[in-house]
Amino acid sequence: MTDTSRAAEKAKIHEGKEADHHPYFRPKDAATLILVDRSGATPKVLVGKRHDKVVFMPGKFVFPGGRVDKDDYRVPCAAPITTELEANLAKGSPKTPASRAKSLAIAAIREACEETGLCLGRKADVKAKLEGAWKPFADAGLLPDPSSLFLIARAITPPGRVKRFDTRFFTADASAITHRVDGVIHADAELVELVWVELGSKPLADLHPMTRNVLNELDTRLATGPLRHDAPVPFFHFYGGKMQKDILS
């Protein structure tokens, strides 16, 4: 085998494996939104199928989410986040200030609208000038409404990765969707398909392991009845090369 062949074989073996040997990178704030439909006997969650040609997780089913943007701190809202949600987001060390807590909830709503075309908003009494990613809300006469969000879990990407995220996983009932933007999902988009799938079904078995952990937490909470802010919020992180699960306090 030539050196070129060995290099190609090595690249093939490691293809798709997330690099784990990089210097320490501080995790970036990120948010994910899991929308739940509880109208049937078995709850369903909304997942999107990623394009086959994207670099990260091609062809996989994912939940909408991404990094917090600087505009997420400033965008006006139709209602504040609940005091209970703000308190849950503040848990952990160091404490998360109120402005950062709001930006996390708002980022989850923005990412969901950007990636799925589904918007959680409320009619605004005063027309606000929203641009960029928030323009669909302005076009519909809406402001983002985080009052229906619940915090399910927090997770931090292991050290040594090129991209590290400190992600808060939110959930909201499908009834909170107030507007749909047409044309977001198509063959050339980041997400090529949206599917409501029952918890425990096959498409969910192929999720990222950390996302499966969070989904198990959601499943457990849904089994006890309506979502509550006073339920324990797990914190998944890595120590000594192993995943740890703590409860935020």
Side-chain angles (χ1 to χ4, degrees):
M1 182 181 290
T2 66
D3 290 342
T4 302
S5 298
R6 290 191 185 93
E9 185 67 19
K10 186 175 181 181
K12 183 177 180 181
I13 291 173
H14 290 283
E15 183 180 3
K17 182 181 184 298
E18 199 171 357
D20 57 6
H21 57 278
H22 288 267
Y24 178 83
F25 287 97
R26 183 177 180 179
K28 304 290 186 181
D29 275 336
T32 292
L33 180 59
I34 304 175
L35 291 166
V36 184
D37 180 0
R38 302 188 70 181
S39 60
T42 302
K44 296 180 179 180
V45 292
L46 183 70
V47 291
K49 186 176 183 181
R50 289 176 64 81
H51 197 287
D52 288 336
K53 294 184 179 180
V54 296
V55 175
F56 184 63
M57 298 177 66
K60 300 289 186 180
F61 284 100
V62 298
F63 295 107
R67 283 182 54 176
V68 173
D69 287 347
K70 60 182 180 180
D71 289 342
D72 297 332
Y73 285 84
R74 299 190 292 263
V75 65
C77 299
I81 65 174
T82 63
T83 55
E84 295 88 352
L85 177 59
E86 184 178 307
N88 278 338
L89 287 166
K91 292 177 179 177
S93 181
K95 298 295 182 182
T96 301
S99 60
R100 186 177 170 203
K102 175 199 168 187
S103 72
L104 288 160
I106 294 303
I109 293 174
R110 174 183 52 75
E111 287 286 342
C113 186
E114 281 186 304
E115 296 183 9
T116 70
L118 303 177
C119 305
L120 278 64
R122 190 186 301 180
K123 288 292 182 181
D125 295 331
V126 179
K127 189 173 182 179
K129 185 178 180 181
L130 301 178
E131 299 176 340
W134 294 105
K135 192 174 184 301
F137 284 81
D139 292 343
L142 302 173
L143 287 177
D145 181 6
S147 62
S148 62
L149 268 56
F150 291 81
L151 183 64
I152 297 300
R154 177 181 179 181
I156 296 182
T157 309
R161 303 294 170 86
V162 177
K163 294 183 179 181
R164 299 190 67 212
F165 298 103
D166 185 350
T167 304
R168 276 66 162 194
F169 290 83
F170 297 90
T171 191
D173 193 84
S175 61
I177 301 168
T178 55
H179 180 63
R180 181 188 295 269
V181 181
D182 294 328
V184 173
I185 304 298
H186 55 82
D188 296 319
E190 181 178 342
L191 297 183
V192 299
E193 181 183 6
L194 289 180
V195 187
W196 289 96
V197 294
E198 292 185 350
L199 286 172
S201 61
K202 187 176 180 179
L204 301 181
D206 198 31
L207 293 174
H208 188 281
M210 183 61 74
T211 308
R212 288 203 305 271
N213 288 335
V214 175
L215 205 58
N216 289 337
E217 296 292 334
L218 176 60
D219 193 9
T220 299
R221 288 178 62 170
L222 290 174
T224 65
L227 290 166
R228 309 188 326 270
H229 288 293
D230 60 351
V233 178
F235 173 35
F236 298 100
H237 61 105
F238 288 80
Y239 183 78
K242 295 183 179 180
M243 190 190 74
Q244 308 290 323
K245 176 186 172 182
D246 298 327
I247 300 299
L248 290 176
S249 59

